[in-house]
Amino acid sequence: MGAKWKLITDLIFTLTLCLMLAVPAHAHGAKIEYTVDVVIEIVAAYDSGEPMAGAQVVIYAPDDPTDPWLTGVCNDEGRFRFVPDTSRPGTWDVQVRKAGHGDIVHIPIGEGSTGAGSAGGYTPLQIILMAACVIWGAVGTSLYFWRRRA
Amino acid sequence: MKKGILVLLTTTLLAVSFTLSGCSGGGEKGTLQFYANGEDFVRQGFVSKDGWSIRFDHVYITLADITAYQTDPPYDPHMGDNINGKVTVGLSNAYTVDLAEGGEDAPSILVDEIQNVPAGHYNAISWNMVRAASSPSAGHSLVMIGTAEKDGQTVDFTINIDAECSYDCGEYVGDERKGIVSDGGTADLEMTFHFDHIFGDAETPLDDELNQGALGFEYFIGYADGQTVDINMTEMHLGHVGEGHCHCLCD
């Protein structure tokens, strides 16, 4: 019986010691978090296949076609990487130029690409007012002929 | 009295509706200018791939059906499709311009402009190179007049080209972004012509694709007195938008 209690006591002591020893280990632990980003890599080359090393890169975000969002330079392999701001969905334009050669590539990012051409659309208020005008015209015309017949 | 109220109500509704229609996105207008640019190759001259130093007195090119587009998704000339614009504006006339006009530092040639175009980004352009109906280049789509020198030999040339071509191009590629028309503002687009693609460029390696495809100047010596040269202009890739490419088809 005493041996049994001693074993239990020893186990409790050992467990307690392990736990006590384990506590400091948390202080040296690691916390790993992660985020997922869209990384775009462009590879620029001349028609001959030669990489456009050192070519100038200019990137435009979808909602600002005038001011560059980012500029940079291709590496020796003609590669350039960037992480677009995915809160600005639409078509990202990437222009690459070097020594009189250049091109532009258009990369759709996210859902519902925003287009520059929004001409010709009507707001709900405009649609309601136009509908009201049409109905009013129809009613007025009916009343006009009804009154003449009367 | 009742009739007066009815008329007043109808007039008010119509007025408000028309006003709001005018205030929609389509109501923002600006001016779009079209330029033609032969670049320094034409203005300052250059040395062809076969060593001829070329200077141009006149380079007459006739352009027609010049049209600008707002495209979404953006037009890709590498695909070779037709341009489908959400907004399309164009010039109806044909224009003969002298790309060599002005001095060595002359600006690009203003072809024409269109006022009151819908605001937005005109990111594609198309035009045709056509035979001129009248002088100074009547009957020809491209006339190059100038002098070429090599090893003490001088050749005065008039090179006539009759080929008619269509160019469908994407966005201008260059130092600045072009074609962005804001409300009340003025933007421009450029039709750029790379004559080094015809004659080659001594400053570019001979094995470069540009020089591989170019004819050089000596090819034209037999035609320098004004005979029409029959060359495959599709393969010359003359028309560009800055450094940006165009899809080209010639007859």
Side-chain angles (χ1 to χ4, degrees):
Chain A
M1 195 71 171
K4 188 180 176 183
W5 277 110
K6 187 174 184 305
L7 180 63
I8 292 172
T9 307
D10 286 346
L11 273 172
I12 291 170
F13 176 77
T14 306
L15 278 170
T16 306
L17 188 63
C18 286
L19 286 170
M20 286 174 69
L21 287 173
V23 169
H26 283 288
H28 298 284
K31 184 180 180 184
I32 301 174
E33 295 178 341
Y34 72 93
T35 57
V36 178
D37 281 325
V38 175
V39 178
I40 294 175
E41 180 182 70
I42 59 165
V43 183
Y46 298 106
D47 290 341
S48 63
E50 179 190 351
M52 292 179 72
Q56 299 291 320
V57 181
V58 182
I59 300 169
Y60 295 92
D63 54 355
D64 186 359
T66 307
D67 303 310
W69 177 78
L70 181 68
T71 59
V73 177
C74 288
N75 68 11
D76 290 344
E77 297 175 333
R79 296 176 187 273
F80 183 82
R81 287 183 179 183
F82 70 99
V83 179
D85 181 352
T86 50
S87 68
R88 301 164 80 172
T91 302
W92 289 68
D93 300 320
V94 181
Q95 179 180 274
V96 182
R97 301 174 63 214
K98 185 183 179 185
H101 298 273
D103 208 345
I104 189 166
V105 64
H106 310 282
I107 304 169
I109 300 291
E111 296 177 358
S113 297
T114 56
S118 58
Y122 293 103
T123 65
L125 178 60
Q126 288 173 310
I127 292 169
I128 291 168
L129 274 168
M130 283 189 287
C133 284
V134 170
I135 293 166
W136 188 256
V139 170
T141 306
S142 303
L143 285 171
Y144 173 76
F145 285 110
W146 178 76
R147 190 176 173 185
R148 283 193 62 173
R149 232 184 293 160
Chain B
M1 185 64 183
K2 276 185 179 176
K3 190 179 176 184
I5 293 170
L6 283 174
V7 169
L8 185 65
L9 267 172
T10 307
T11 308
T12 306
L13 268 172
L14 283 169
V16 171
S17 179
F18 282 130
T19 304
L20 284 172
S21 294
C23 291
S24 71
E28 296 185 347
K29 305 282 187 182
T31 300
L32 187 61
Q33 297 179 322
F34 296 88
Y35 284 87
N37 186 0
E39 299 192 308
D40 289 344
F41 290 111
V42 166
R43 289 186 291 263
Q44 300 176 7
F46 64 106
V47 179
S48 68
K49 73 173 189 178
D50 46 7
W52 287 84
S53 179
I54 304 171
R55 294 193 70 83
F56 295 98
D57 297 321
H58 301 285
V59 175
Y60 298 112
I61 189 167
T62 302
L63 310 168
D65 306 308
I66 301 168
T67 307
Y69 309 82
Q70 294 183 25
T71 61
D72 184 20
Y75 175 70
D76 182 357
H78 300 289
M79 301 299 289
D81 298 329
N82 293 324
I83 303 175
N84 292 312
K86 288 189 167 183
V87 177
T88 301
V89 297
L91 296 166
S92 55
N93 297 330
Y95 302 83
T96 297
V97 296
D98 182 3
L99 296 174
E101 185 179 283
E104 291 188 350
D105 299 318
S108 303
I109 310 296
L110 175 61
V111 177
D112 207 342
E113 68 177 27
I114 308 174
Q115 296 178 345
N116 296 318
V117 301
H121 187 190
Y122 290 84
N123 56 1
I125 181 174
S126 68
W127 71 86
N128 293 328
M129 185 176 82
V130 300
R131 286 187 278 274
S134 57
S135 61
S137 55
H140 310 295
S141 54
L142 178 65
V143 175
M144 296 174 279
I145 302 170
T147 305
E149 295 180 17
K150 181 182 179 182
D151 300 332
Q153 184 184 358
T154 300
V155 175
D156 295 325
F157 63 83
T158 297
I159 299 170
N160 294 323
I161 290 175
D162 292 357
E164 293 192 314
C165 304
S166 66
Y167 293 93
D168 292 324
C169 315
E171 186 176 337
Y172 175 87
V173 177
D175 289 334
E176 57 181 327
R177 214 165 189 202
K178 291 182 178 290
I180 302 172
V181 177
S182 58
D183 190 21
T186 299
D188 66 278
L189 289 174
E190 182 181 291
M191 296 165 280
T192 317
F193 299 95
H194 292 189
F195 285 84
D196 54 335
H197 286 236
I198 295 177
F199 298 104
D201 180 10
E203 295 184 4
T204 301
L206 279 175
D207 60 355
D208 187 276
E209 190 166 356
L210 181 144
N211 280 333
Q212 291 290 311
L215 297 170
F217 181 76
E218 287 186 8
Y219 178 90
F220 293 94
I221 288 180
Y223 305 93
D225 57 355
Q227 292 183 55
T228 296
V229 187
D230 186 17
I231 58 175
N232 187 338
M233 286 298 291
T234 302
E235 294 181 355
M236 294 295 103
H237 302 292
L238 180 64
H240 286 69
V241 276
E243 296 160 11
H245 295 280
C246 299
H247 176 65
C248 171
L249 278 177
C250 301
D251 61 14

